[in-house]
Amino acid sequence: MLPASGAPPRASGRVAWPVIAVLGVIGGVQLDLGVWWGALSVLGGALLAMWDARPALALLALAGAAAGFGSAHVVTSRPDPLRPWLGAQVTLDGQWDGQFLTLSDPRARVAVAPRPLARPGHIRVSGRLIAPEGRRTPGGFDQAAWLRAQGGVFLPTPTAVLVGARLRQSGREGGVRGWFRQGLTAGLGPREAALMQAVELGDRSDIGREDFAEGYAVRDAFNRAGLAHLMALSGQNVALITGVLVWLLAWRGAPPGWRYGLPAALLLGYLWLVGLSPSITRAVIMGFVVLIALAVGRGRVDPTGLTALAALVCVLLFPLWLLDIGFQLSFLAVLALTLAGRAADRLPATWPHGLRAALSATVLAELATLPVIAGTFGQLPLVGLPANLLAAPIMAVLVPAGFVAGLLGPAAAPLNLLNGVLADALLWVARTAGQFPVLPWGTVSPAGMIAYAVSALAGVLWLLGRVRLPAVLGTVLVCALMTALPARLHPPRDIVFLDVGQGDGTLIRVPGLTILVDAGGSVGSDYDVGGKAVVPALRALGVRTLDVAVATHADTDHIEGLASVLRAVPVGELWIGQRKVGDPVLDAVLAAARERRVPVREVRRGDRVSASDATLTVLWPPGNVWSTADNDNSVAIKLESRGWSTAILGDLPDPAEDMIGLGHLDLLKTAHHGSRFSTGAAFLVQTTPKDAVISVGRNTYGHPNPDVLNRLAAAGVKVWRTDQMGTITWPIP
């Protein structure tokens, strides 16, 4: 049983048993994953039982560890039924749920890219099956890890991705879900309908395609405003929907069994309707337990024990949710909210109670999730508090009203007159708040996590009345200095060859000078390499501003991503070679530069910039004559530092690369992704590099060309490839 809140202090039994059990389960999962310090979690559970004067419960921590280890092992050791078809062109028939395609034979789940524009239901789709990729760039999306976390003990893990997917056949979504979705969208415009589906069903596929303006996506606005959690189903949805239902039943005079039991049963149906995800599963478990306790007269339950019970169920059924960002954010936030009452008591008593409660809950949730949000998304919203205070009353009406609209199905159009106004109001809050600056953040190191944990512990002790506020502020200041000083004392000095697939993106960093040369692009696709790969990488690497961005030439796979970079990161100057007229990709980059008031400089041979014993010199183009081939006009630069040198040549072909007079190079960034038209034998004799980096991805051009690889091998050059190694970081002397 969970201990009732308000129970008198006892010599033992102050810690709810789920807390001890879940520590053991978490440790067992970590041990199965090879994380040795998972043993510390098990030990912590056992020691907590001893401290609580219930040594017998130490066995519960050990039993939990065994259960967690076994649960994780079931998931991680499950054979991959799709392995024989990896690399093959296939046509698949299955049930599409908006995120994964579920197959019946073999029993498997598949991710689909790009996601088909089809409602959930039976579909037929063709493409090529490939194994999911891990994190290829700093701050990038680890698809393989995310997919592993989506499997459970009774749910197959998605083990493959169908790329180049083409929808062959789809049916109209029917059943309860189809009816509910019709109600959510009846009579609404595309943007409002997409928002309603995200808020009520957690389906963000449509909202992900909506923009407020070019380069300003709706989802980006929610992220920058600190409102992204509104589109992730969670306790807010459960509380608002069940709260209205309980109030209606109480108004009708229903006895407690019906008043709380009926909403508890409906919560299970709601979970089936929206699907399993960490945040909503956690919220439904907690809401169900609370409602059942009230129905049977048990009273309120201990929030910490209740949270631990929800985590226990989730991790036993879905052990790798432990690594899921949604799981981490959900439980960190709800644990912080257990202290909201104490935090509200610290605010001036003259303030309205509702304001104090809202302020304390919002601030605590933001502080608790700070390291995960900062490390994952590379930025922290600065207006999250006022934005959430404005959004809260809108959501308080929109969520239950939207749920009623879903129940009404196609007849919901009159109600959606109200919902449309509320959706527009919420979109206005996100759009307005999303235009404010954000605080950029890099990857949170282990030292940073320790510093945060110490600061958080000091804050909790202050809320509990164990320490004074000056001690907390001093602790936070010391921890901040300890994590901030190393980067200031030893700034990076390196070249980062970003893995942007089939394209180029190179970051040069020396103290006082940060330069990005190209930012990739996606030929024949609407995938935003700049916004989805390069910008997160810059944030993860701690790059807050760029002194120079270089667009080597008007090729999509080199410069398309620069438009997103220019909109997301302050840039001092944009360098281009030929100002090619009428090229849509270059025009988009120049338009972004004008929008952000970034000066554009047409560089020529001999232009240079220096900082910290490093000099960057432009060797091409001469500018007096232009070729009709874009590759011939590539900006080529040479970097020299303390007797060491390298060059970045864009797509410059042979014999032009022989004409620019590079001389000796220690490191060569091969031109044109290892094309047979570049990196000739005479060029290698001239430059005598020891190492060469080839920026390349999956392609149909035959890059890197076998002849080029043979020439490099014959010259004794060691080759480093982004398609094999991911992002490559090279130190600059």
Side-chain angles (χ1 to χ4, degrees), residues 541-555:
L541 292 168
V543 176
R544 291 173 171 79
T545 61
L546 291 169
D547 298 295
V548 178
V550 182
T552 57
H553 63 296
D555 267 7

Side-chain angles (χ1 to χ4, degrees), residues 454-462 466-479:
V454 172
S455 300
L457 177 61
V460 170
L461 291 176
W462 173 68
R466 305 292 178 84
V467 299
R468 296 182 179 275
L469 184 59
V472 176
L473 297 177
T475 300
V476 172
L477 179 61
V478 169
C479 289

Side-chain angles (χ1 to χ4, degrees), residues 241-252:
I241 293 171
T242 57
V244 169
L245 186 56
V246 167
W247 178 82
L248 287 174
L249 290 170
W251 177 64
R252 296 294 298 174

Side-chain angles (χ1 to χ4, degrees), residues 28-63:
V29 172
Q30 291 173 322
L31 289 173
D32 178 75
L33 297 175
V35 181
W36 66 267
W37 43 265
L40 297 179
S41 179
V42 181
L43 179 62
L47 292 177
L48 190 60
M50 301 294 290
W51 174 82
D52 199 40
R54 291 188 293 174
L57 281 187
L59 297 176
L60 184 61
L62 298 178

Side-chain angles (χ1 to χ4, degrees), residues 86-97:
L86 290 179
Q89 290 285 336
V90 297
T91 298
L92 303 176
D93 287 90
Q95 289 296 317
W96 173 246
D97 63 6

Side-chain angles (χ1 to χ4, degrees), residues 550-553 575-579 601-607 617-627 630-637 648-649 652 656 660:
V550 182
T552 57
H553 63 296
W575 287 7
I576 65 172
Q578 180 192 24
R579 190 185 287 265
R601 179 180 176 185
E602 297 179 36
V603 294
R604 300 293 181 262
R605 182 180 177 91
D607 289 339
T617 305
V618 177
L619 298 180
W620 195 265
N624 54 348
V625 63
W626 298 105
S627 171
D630 291 333
N631 291 349
D632 295 342
N633 302 321
S634 294
V635 174
I637 58 177
I648 301 171
L649 307 176
L652 199 66
I660 61 179

Side-chain angles (χ1 to χ4, degrees), residues 427-444:
L427 287 165
W428 177 85
V429 172
R431 180 174 188 168
T432 304
Q435 293 174 334
F436 282 81
V438 295
L439 179 64
W441 208 278
T443 301
V444 181

